[in-house]
Amino acid sequence: ASQVLGKETVQAVLDDLETADIDEKTRVMLRFLEKMTLHPDTLSVEDGKALREADISEEAAEDAILVSFMFNLMDRLADSFEYFNPETEAHDRASKYLLRRGYKM
């Protein structure tokens, strides 16, 4: 079973992955995802072997990789297009407008 991380645990992981109170499977997967995100050119067969040695299923690894890939892609696109999150009130107004008028180009 996968580990569900609470807010404090997530902060501990962000502070220091190696000392955070998480199970080893989660730590190994997060190491892989960090390397995939920050240093993709250094990923190797050994990194994949580490996932298998930690008994992480191919399905679980693929799911984690896909979620990380999509987040990284969207984050980079948002940076490229200088996207910002509007205030809640402005977001609500825009949502109502789009519901009425649709997405017209």
Side-chain angles (χ1 to χ4, degrees):
S2 62
Q3 181 176 8
V4 176
L5 305 180
K7 184 178 180 180
E8 290 174 1
T9 305
V10 169
Q11 188 59 55
V13 167
L14 293 172
D15 291 343
D16 187 353
L17 173 61
E18 299 308 320
T19 61
D21 185 21
I22 56 174
D23 64 53
E24 193 57 23
K25 279 185 175 185
T26 302
R27 190 179 328 277
V28 170
M29 190 72 243
L30 289 174
R31 279 187 200 128
F32 182 94
L33 296 174
E34 179 180 44
K35 189 172 188 179
M36 182 186 88
T37 299
L38 300 177
H39 309 287
D41 55 319
T42 66
L43 277 176
S44 68
V45 171
E46 296 304 315
D47 296 305
K49 285 181 182 177
L51 298 179
R52 287 189 288 285
E53 288 170 3
D55 200 29
I56 297 171
S57 71
E58 280 192 40
E59 181 181 23
E62 287 173 5
D63 286 350
I65 290 166
L66 180 60
V67 168
S68 181
F69 165 77
M70 292 303 296
F71 179 85
N72 289 330
L73 174 67
M74 297 307 294
D75 189 51
R76 287 176 174 105
L77 286 172
D79 287 348
S80 297
F81 290 104
E82 297 179 342
Y83 178 81
F84 70 97
N85 282 323
E87 298 295 321
T88 302
E89 186 178 312
H91 185 271
D92 289 346
R93 279 194 317 270
S95 297
K96 289 175 185 173
Y97 176 82
L98 289 172
L99 281 172
R100 255 191 341 270
R101 302 224 1 149
Y103 293 87
K104 295 181 182 177
M105 299 277 174

